[in-house]
């Protein structure tokens, strides 16, 4: 019989191993924190989430090069920029040097007059042409003279350069040797915009590696020092942190659980059964969430596996209740009603979490419920057939001394009242709605990001203007109509500068107006002849220029659809959004100096202009859905009480629920006294604390036939408490504030829950109010 049980365990282990390899290869792990944001309900919230998903500010990488003299830094910056401009991963590469005409697509050159920022679309009068030709002569003497000469014959008025110049930041950094430099002149600066969204960790990692390779090729001697920041860098860092913590903390938690179970059970086979139960539970949980979602967030796995470590409590309860004279099946019949009620009540709480509206939290709810159900099925139908009486040992002798400690049944009520008083009269805020606390980005990197953003005039990450219209053309026209007012905001020192979609692509109406303003062929020929008088240029070399201007008069105006597949489309798409029956033009702002005046202007501009305070909108979004989550969990608690009343007396339910409520209130109050404001992840942690506290209360309140039974119950609960506290203490070692918050909350909460449930425990079946109905 024993050999047969070992064979079953071996086959089970092999099946778990093969399934683990398959899931590990097929499961896609996500690190996008937007999964922990709910679905939007208002226009501002929709635009916020679209901005977080695809906005231009999230695509920006800020680069600083140092370690060489300024002239060499400028040359390295140019070499690096030249390489990256040919890389399809980047929609925009700026370092102070304009891209040359040869590197631009023919479409840009052909449509330069319709895209020109100049009034009339062309500097084509005699005086303007003479001035532009003089500028072209200077360019011919520069290192880029060969390129300038090719472009000169076709574009003597410099329209292409004017377009590129209008796309540069309004407040440029210091320019040295044709490249951007920091204010102290020690760093060459570049601003890159990736094609990939800032929260696309895989593609951002590839883009960052491309930047690193470009630096190596620009400086084979390896003396350049590269500093890089931006949302993409933060995303990659977050993903690496999640993967590292999932791997390391999972390994330590698994090893710790095995060692702890060996010390407690002192049976290799039964430890293997416990580990296999946990592994099978984890596989089922991953399979359930993988079937429901295309990817699983790393935080879900990190927290979920630690949470499933708590599922080990259930087989431990069964194993530690085994006695020599009882078959495992008899032991199961004794403890199963309590185990079943514990699994059901905990699952109800996590089902509520699964319907709160947060994809990340819903994943965690699905993950946990699948794991709990799998654990219950294994305990009910598999483990009793595989464990044996050889495991039965008497509880430790010291447990008798612990059992004689006095009860303090009034303590939960006193604790609940004290915690309520703290929360009612505390001057400290209870909740933290900010998203910044969720990032593992070191402060030094945050400081670098702020410094480079200020030096380069990168888009503001907080404020954004949204212009809503019925279609893209109407949005561009409305944007153009507001440009003069945007300029006034700059001159009045309300904002530092702005970037609007109509700078990249004028509306079709504006392009048609430009076509009407272009000079007639005879007039242009006359103005060109006057501009060439006394100059070094022959009058027959600009035939291509004359033909291009004439052709521009009849070109079909460009639309966003015409730009598909071009670098300009990659720049335009994040700031010109289209949805069902609506288009939104996003105007990015730099250096907002007076938010109140900006808000007043936006309100007066009309209902189609929205000033988005992305920070305030995100906080409001989180606050509303946090309240929604709390309401859902409140209903879950009510259902749990109803379920318990179906199995226990009302006195028993009161004896279990009161310590749980006291535990939750005391945990929150202690964090508040310590100055810690709570996030959504604290809610998840407090939910787990509540579930475990229910377990403690249910087992401590069981009617026990003998002192030995009661000591076994107390011992199993203590083992589970130590195991849980140890597993979650590991999370406190994480570099991620999210996981540290979860770890500290659970360790504190389960310790309070264990203590309150133990002190309010029953002594024997005669005075114990809890019994099965």
């Amino acid at each position: 019989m024993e050999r047969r049980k070992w064979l079953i365990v071996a086959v089970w282990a092999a099946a778990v191993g093969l399934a683990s390899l398959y899931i590990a290869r097929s499961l896609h792990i996500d690190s996008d924190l937007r999964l922990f944001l709910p679905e939007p309900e208002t226009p501002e919230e929709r635009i916020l989430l679209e901005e977080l998903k695809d906005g231009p500010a999230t695509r920006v990488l800020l680069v600083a090069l140092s370690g060489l003299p300024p002239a060499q830094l400028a040359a390295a910056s140019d070499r690096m920029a030249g390489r990256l401009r040919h890389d399809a991963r980047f929609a925009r590469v700026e370092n102070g040097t304009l891209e040359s005409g040869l590197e631009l697509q023919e479409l840009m050159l052909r449509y330069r007059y319709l895209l020109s920022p100049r009034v009339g679309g062309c500097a084509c009068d005699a005086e303007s042409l003479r001035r532009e030709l003089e500028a072209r002569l200077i360019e011919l003497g520069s290192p880029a003279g060969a390129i300038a000469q090719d472009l000169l014959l076709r574009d003597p008025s410099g329209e292409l350069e004017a377009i590129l110049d209008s796309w540069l930041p309004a407040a440029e950094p210091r320019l040295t040797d044709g490249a951007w430099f920091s204010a102290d002149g020690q760093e060459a600066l570049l601003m890159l915009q990736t094609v990939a969204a800032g929260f696309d960790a895989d593609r951002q990692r590839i883009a960052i590696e491309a930047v690193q390779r470009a630096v190596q090729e620009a400086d084979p001697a390896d003396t350049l020092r590269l500093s890089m920041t931006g949302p993409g860098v933060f995303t990659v860092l977050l993903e690496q942190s999640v993967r590292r913590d999932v791997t390391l903390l999972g390994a330590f938690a698994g090893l710790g659980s095995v060692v702890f179970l060996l010390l407690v059970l002192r049976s290799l086979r039964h430890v293997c059964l416990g580990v296999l139960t946990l592994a099978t539970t984890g596989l089922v949980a991953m399979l359930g969430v993988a079937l429901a979602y295309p990817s699983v967030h790393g935080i879900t796995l990190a927290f979920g596996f630690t949470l499933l470590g708590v599922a080990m409590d259930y087989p431990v309860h069964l194993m530690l209740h085994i006695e020599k004279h009882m078959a495992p099946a008899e032991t199961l019949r004794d403890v199963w009603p309590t185990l079943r009620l514990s699994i059901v009540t905990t699952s109800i709480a996590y089902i509520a979490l699964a319907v709160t509206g947060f994809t990340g939290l819903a994943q965690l709810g699905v993950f946990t419920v699948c794991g709990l159900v799998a654990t219950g099925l294994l305990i009910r139908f598999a483990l009793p057939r595989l464990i044996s009486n050889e495991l039965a040992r008497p509880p430790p002798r010291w447990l008798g001394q612990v059992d004689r400690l006095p009860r303090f049944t009034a303590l939960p009520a006193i604790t609940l009242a004290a915690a309520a008083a703290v929360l009612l009269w505390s001057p400290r805020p209870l909740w933290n709605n900010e998203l910044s606390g969720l990032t593992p980005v070191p402060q030094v990197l945050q400081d670098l990001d702020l410094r480079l953003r200020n030096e380069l005039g990168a888009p503001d990450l907080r404020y954004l203007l949204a212009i809503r219209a019925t279609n893209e053309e109407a949005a561009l026209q409305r944007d153009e109509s507001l440009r003069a007012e945007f300029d006034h905001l700059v001159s009045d020192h309300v904002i530092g500068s702005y970037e609007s979609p109509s700078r990249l692509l004028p509306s079709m109406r504006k392009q048609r107006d430009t076509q009407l303003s272009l000079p007639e062929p005879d007039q242009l020929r006359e103005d060109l002849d006057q501009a060439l008088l006394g100059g070094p240029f022959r009058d027959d070399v600009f035939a291509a220029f004359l033909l291009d201007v004439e052709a521009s008069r009849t070109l079909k105006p460009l639309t966003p659809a015409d730009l598909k597949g071009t670098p300009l489309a990659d720049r335009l798409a994040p700031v010109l959004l289209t949805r069902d029956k609506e288009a939104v033009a996003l105007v990015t702002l730099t250096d907002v100096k007076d938010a109140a005046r900006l808000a007043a202007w936006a309100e007066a501009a009309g209902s189609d202009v929205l000033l988005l305070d992305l920070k305030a909108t995100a906080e409001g979004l989180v606050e509303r859905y946090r309240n929604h989550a709390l309401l859902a969990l409140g209903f879950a608690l009510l259902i749990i009480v109803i379920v318990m009343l179906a199995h226990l007396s009302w006195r028993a339910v009161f004896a279990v629920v009161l310590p749980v409520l006291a535990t939750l209130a005391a945990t929150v109050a202690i964090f508040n006294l310590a100055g810690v404001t709570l996030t959504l992840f604290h809610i998840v942690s407090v939910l787990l604390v509540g579930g475990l506290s229910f377990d403690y209360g249910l087992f401590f309140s069981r009617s026990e036939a003998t002192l030995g039974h009661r000591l076994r119950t107390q011992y199993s609960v203590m083992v589970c408490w130590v195991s849980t506290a140890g597993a979650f203490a590991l999370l406190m070692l994480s570099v991620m504030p999210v996981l540290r918050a979860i770890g500290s909350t659970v360790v504190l909460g389960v310790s309070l829950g264990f203590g309150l449930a133990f002190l309010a425990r029953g002594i024997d079946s005669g005075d114990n109010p809890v019994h099965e109905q």
Side-chain angles (χ1 to χ4, degrees), residues 107-130:
L107 180 71
M108 290 291 298
L109 194 57
R110 188 155 57 97
Y111 275 88
R112 63 189 181 276
Y113 298 109
L114 274 63
L115 300 177
S116 175
R118 292 169 170 167
V119 176
C122 178
C124 292
D125 61 276
E127 185 58 35
S128 296
L129 280 172
R130 182 179 295 109

Side-chain angles (χ1 to χ4, degrees), residues 612-656:
L612 300 181
D613 183 341
L614 300 185
K615 180 175 182 292
T617 303
E619 290 174 0
L621 186 67
V622 171
E623 180 180 7
R624 189 179 73 250
Y625 274 87
R626 182 194 64 232
N627 295 337
H628 176 65
L630 290 173
L631 183 62
L633 295 177
F635 278 115
L637 178 61
L638 179 61
I639 296 173
I640 288 171
V641 171
I642 294 173
V643 170
M644 291 178 67
L645 284 171
H647 294 80
L648 307 173
S649 68
W650 70 266
R651 291 180 61 198
V653 173
F654 182 79
V656 173

Side-chain angles (χ1 to χ4, degrees), residues 673-693:
L673 288 174
V676 177
T677 51
L678 306 183
T679 68
L680 288 170
F681 297 102
H682 286 95
I683 294 179
V684 178
S685 307
V686 169
L687 173 63
L688 174 59
V689 168
L692 292 171
S693 297

Side-chain angles (χ1 to χ4, degrees), residues 124-156:
C124 292
D125 61 276
E127 185 58 35
S128 296
L129 280 172
R130 182 179 295 109
R131 186 170 57 248
E132 292 296 330
L133 287 170
E134 291 172 354
R136 302 292 86 75
L137 278 174
I138 296 174
E139 291 172 2
L140 288 174
S142 70
I147 296 175
Q149 179 177 343
D150 292 333
L151 186 59
L152 166 65
L153 301 180
R154 188 169 179 184
D155 187 26

Side-chain angles (χ1 to χ4, degrees), residues 294-307:
S295 63
V296 184
H297 200 283
I299 291 175
T300 298
L301 289 182
F303 186 29
F305 275 119
T306 308
L307 181 61

